[in-house]
Amino acid sequence: MILAVIVVIVVVANRPKDYNFDQPAARVTVDTVMTDFKNDAANASEKYSDKVIAVTGQVGTIQDEYVTLRAYDDDLWLYNVNVYMENNQDLKKFKVGDTVTIEGVCDDTDLFGDVDVKKCVIADQFATVPDYDGAQKVKINDFVKRYKENQVKADEKYKGKTVQFTAKVTHVADEYAVVEPFNADVWDWDCDVQICFEDMDDLKKVTEGKMVTIVGECYGQADMYTAKICRAIVKK
């Protein structure tokens, strides 16, 4: 009898844990997860570890066994969320630069400070969605001026919020575009705004020298640019 009880206990203990992918414990961005672990690792571990979470971020690199999702905030450039798919064939569905949401089991931080998420599947819907319809309409000249004059106050007004403006495209890179205010001249070397798109197909819609209306989330000052707009879409 005792032996039978022991066998049952061992079997139950070794049974794979069932995770509820229909109701993630948290729906967050890469920025939120990384900031939580950076500020209080113990509390973040209690909040996320061994739980199903839905994470939205930008595809940074595609490796043989996993994908990295990077944060939008340049202050978090050193860290990523490493995504290990339940089915490795799904790795073929990712494109560098695209914004995606995955659902998987958070496995805490690794040696380098990245957060590993395993048993992942690609979600049908984003964990978080910018308020494109309710975007704050701003003039690009005023937007850039505020950031050049006082970054702290500009962040209070714009960072984390969805904004819309029209500007001239000055450069199109492989993963982002750059725009500048109308009153920029050759001496304004630090007035550009970096635009990272929600879908890389939107990058194909912008052309250097042309005007474009952009709607996206402001992520404050970028490393090499006055400000950074992420999850952007082209407004028709």
Side-chain angles (χ1 to χ4, degrees), residues 72-119:
Y72 293 108
D73 194 329
D74 282 3
D75 289 340
L76 299 168
W77 69 271
L78 190 60
Y79 308 105
N80 300 295
V81 168
N82 298 324
V83 174
Y84 295 85
M85 304 303 294
E86 180 77 352
N87 183 349
N88 267 10
Q89 292 300 311
D90 284 343
L91 291 173
K92 300 176 182 178
K93 299 179 180 179
F94 291 98
K95 288 190 300 181
V96 172
D98 269 357
T99 292
V100 299
T101 292
I102 58 90
E103 293 179 0
V105 180
C106 184
D107 197 34
D108 224 328
T109 55
D110 63 18
L111 180 64
F112 303 101
D114 291 348
V115 173
D116 290 341
V117 183
K118 301 183 177 180
K119 298 181 179 294

Side-chain angles (χ1 to χ4, degrees), residues 32-55:
T32 299
V33 172
M34 299 313 307
T35 299
D36 285 349
F37 273 103
K38 181 180 177 182
N39 291 341
D40 190 336
N43 186 59
S45 182
E46 182 178 345
K47 182 178 180 180
Y48 299 118
S49 294
D50 200 35
K51 297 175 183 176
V52 175
I53 60 175
V55 185

Side-chain angles (χ1 to χ4, degrees), residues 133-199:
D133 293 333
Q136 180 180 353
K137 295 182 179 180
V138 299
K139 294 181 178 179
I140 184 65
N141 292 8
D142 294 339
F143 179 77
V144 170
K145 181 180 179 181
R146 286 179 183 273
Y147 266 101
K148 292 181 69 174
E149 290 181 346
N150 192 317
Q151 180 191 344
V152 174
K153 287 188 176 181
D155 277 347
E156 290 175 355
K157 185 173 181 64
Y158 299 121
K159 191 171 184 179
K161 299 180 176 66
T162 308
V163 297
Q164 174 180 323
F165 55 72
T166 299
K168 181 180 179 180
V169 179
T170 58
H171 178 64
V172 179
D174 291 339
E175 297 179 20
Y176 63 88
V178 179
V179 301
E180 68 177 14
F182 300 123
N183 59 356
D185 58 38
V186 292
W187 303 108
D188 285 331
W189 59 271
D190 63 343
C191 67
D192 295 332
V193 177
Q194 182 182 15
I195 310 296
C196 299
F197 291 94
E198 180 85 320
D199 189 319

